[in-house]
Structure formats: C-alpha cells, structure tokens
C-alpha cells in the first residue's frame, strides 16, 4: 500500500505571496491532519479534516486554511506569506476514527524569502 | 490542556546498548493515546509505538518498548540493542482518544548512536 504523499517536496516563495500544498493520504484513510514544524516552535497542529469537514483546528491565524476533497486528498493554503512561515509542513493520515494509527508523509519544506 | 515534556535535548548511546528516552505528559482526559515517532534527517516522521491509556500492559514493537507509568504520567521509550540507524530525533506525542486526530508533540530528543 502506498504511503502518504506530499507535493511539492520543496518550495521557495517570496514574502506576500500565497502557496498551496497538497497531501494524498493512504488509500482508505479518511482523516488528514496538517502540522507545521519549525526549530523554534517545534511541531504544531494546524488542522484536521475528516470526510471533507474540518474537525479540529490549531491556534494559527486565518492566513492558514485547508480543505479536503471527496477522495480524501487535502490541500492547505497559506496566504500573504511571512518569513516566519518558513517551515517543514507535515501531513498525516489516519483510518476512520482509529486513534492508534497516524502515518506521516515526507513533508513539504517551504522557504519564504 | 494537553502537554508533553521531553527533558533530554540530546542523548548518546553505545551501539548494541539499550537507551531510555524520557517523556512525561499532562492531561485531564481519562482516555488518551501516547505515541513515539522517529524523525531521521530526511524529515519524515516514522511511527514506532503506541500505548492507550487503558492498556494494562506496556506496548512493545520489536526493539522498542514503552514504559508506561500512568500514575506518574510518564511514557518512556526504551530502545534495546541500539543500531547506528537509530540515530535520529525522537518525539513523544499524545492525542485525546475521542477528539479526533490532533496530536500534541514534545520538543524531541536527539539520539546519537556511537559505534
């Protein structure tokens, strides 16, 4: 079974631009979560989608948004990029309401200049 | 609120020796899950082991075991027979069992295995 895939793997953007990251979960997984990892703040939860609905949301500004499609693929968007948005963005998928399984993708490394 | 604390920023272990990575947690939820992940320099988070709050026995997965002490709110990871490939960052994490898949992570421990 294929793992979680994230595209693109690396991205360089300019301050003020917007960016869209994509995540394809493991086949059959309906829950997709997003995390931001930075050296200063560590791993922080952004949001979780389940069956196309946002189920949980972390403490991030409204510039960070996401959505999930009917095939469980998810996208996250960051508008008006700031230098502090430079981070590794990780996506994780889980089976239907299984709390003991969460598998991560390789991440998208975003650099904002 | 949920909180995970990892007090060891860096650890060294001799190859083939066992090592314990510390993790304490704080939650008022009665049902929760505890996880350990390994993150090599490539960045991908690799699932190692899971312990449910109501599990009576400590979880084991190959060379990994989780020393779960509920009263002390600790969930230490024990790696037996360390290998060079075990050198990586290790993160302890928890979620609330009936609140979706929102994970709370510790700050991580960098493990270096010395040949």
């Amino acid at each position: 079974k294929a793992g979680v895939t994230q595209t693109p793997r690396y991205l360089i953007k300019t301050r003020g631009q917007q960016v869209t990251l994509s995540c394809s979960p493991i086949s059959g997984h309906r829950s997709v979560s997003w995390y931001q990892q930075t050296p200063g703040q560590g791993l922080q939860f952004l949001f979780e989608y389940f069956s196309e609905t946002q189920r949980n949301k972390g403490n991030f500004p409204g510039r960070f948004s996401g959505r999930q499609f009917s095939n469980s693929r998810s996208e996250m968007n960051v508008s008006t990029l700031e230098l502090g948005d430079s981070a590794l963005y990780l996506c994780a998928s889980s089976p239907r309401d299984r709390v003991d399984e969460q598998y991560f993708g390789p991440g998208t490394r975003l650099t904002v200049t | 609120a949920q909180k995970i604390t990892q007090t060891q920023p860096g650890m060294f272990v001799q190859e083939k020796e066992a090592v314990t990575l510390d993790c304490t947690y704080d939650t008022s939820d009665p049902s929760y899950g505890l996880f350990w992940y390994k993150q090599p320099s490539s960045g991908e988070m690799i699932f190692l082991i899971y312990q449910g709050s109501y599990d009576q026995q400590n979880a084991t997965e190959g060379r990994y075991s989780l020393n779960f002490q509920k009263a002390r709110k600790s969930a230490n990871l024990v790696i037996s027979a360390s290998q060079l490939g075990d050198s990586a960052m290790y993160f302890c994490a928890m979620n609330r069992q009936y609140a979706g898949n929102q994970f709370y992570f510790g700050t991580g421990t960098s493990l270096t295995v010395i040949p």
Side-chain angles (χ1 to χ4, degrees):
Chain A
K1 198 183 258 191
V4 179
T5 58
Q6 292 186 246
T7 56
R9 293 292 311 279
Y10 303 90
L11 204 51
I12 300 175
K13 288 286 189 178
T14 303
R15 195 169 40 181
Q17 289 186 314
Q18 76 165 19
V19 67
T20 299
L21 311 182
S22 180
C23 171
S24 292
I26 292 172
S27 177
H29 288 193
R30 290 166 59 186
S31 168
V32 175
S33 302
W34 289 89
Y35 295 83
Q36 181 197 65
Q37 186 176 24
T38 60
Q41 299 298 319
L43 278 150
Q44 294 186 284
F45 172 78
L46 281 155
F47 28 66
E48 181 206 4
Y49 286 87
F50 183 83
S51 293
E52 301 179 64
T53 301
Q54 188 179 85
R55 188 157 67 169
N56 286 297
K57 188 177 190 306
N59 189 25
F60 278 80
R63 300 185 298 106
F64 291 82
S65 63
R67 59 178 176 169
Q68 187 180 34
F69 302 95
S70 58
N71 62 357
S72 293
R73 189 178 71 86
S74 177
E75 289 181 346
M76 68 162 280
N77 183 77
V78 188
S79 62
T80 319
L81 284 165
E82 300 177 359
L83 296 178
D85 297 333
S86 294
L88 179 67
Y89 290 88
L90 291 161
C91 163
S93 79
S94 298
R96 180 175 66 92
D97 281 341
R98 281 292 299 273
V99 297
D100 59 340
E101 295 183 38
Q102 178 151 277
Y103 299 94
F104 283 80
T108 294
R109 190 165 295 280
L110 172 66
T111 302
V112 182
T113 62
Chain B
Q2 279 58 238
K3 187 176 181 181
I4 294 281
T5 302
Q6 294 181 254
T7 57
Q8 306 156 313
M11 290 279 287
F12 292 86
V13 63
Q14 205 75 37
E15 193 178 5
K16 299 179 185 176
E17 296 290 311
V19 63
T20 298
L21 306 184
D22 294 342
C23 172
T24 58
Y25 61 92
D26 190 22
T27 182
S28 56
D29 280 35
S31 299
Y32 50 88
L34 295 159
F35 300 75
W36 277 92
Y37 283 88
K38 171 184 177 181
Q39 187 178 43
S41 55
S42 60
E44 185 167 355
M45 299 284 281
I46 301 167
F47 167 76
L48 296 177
I49 197 165
Y50 162 83
Q51 178 87 40
S53 59
Y54 289 116
D55 293 342
Q56 296 294 318
Q57 292 192 320
N58 287 341
T60 60
E61 290 283 352
R63 295 186 299 111
Y64 305 107
S65 60
L66 198 152
N67 184 2
F68 180 46
Q69 298 188 46
K70 194 170 183 177
R72 298 180 61 183
K73 292 191 175 179
S74 75
N76 298 339
L77 176 71
V78 180
I79 305 175
S80 63
S82 297
Q83 303 172 355
L84 295 178
D86 293 336
S87 294
M89 282 291 291
Y90 288 80
F91 291 93
C92 180
M94 72 175 296
N95 68 352
R96 297 158 61 201
Q97 204 130 11
Y98 300 107
N101 289 313
Q102 177 174 355
F103 274 39
Y104 303 86
F105 284 89
T107 51
T109 296
S110 176
L111 177 66
T112 302
V113 181
I114 304 167

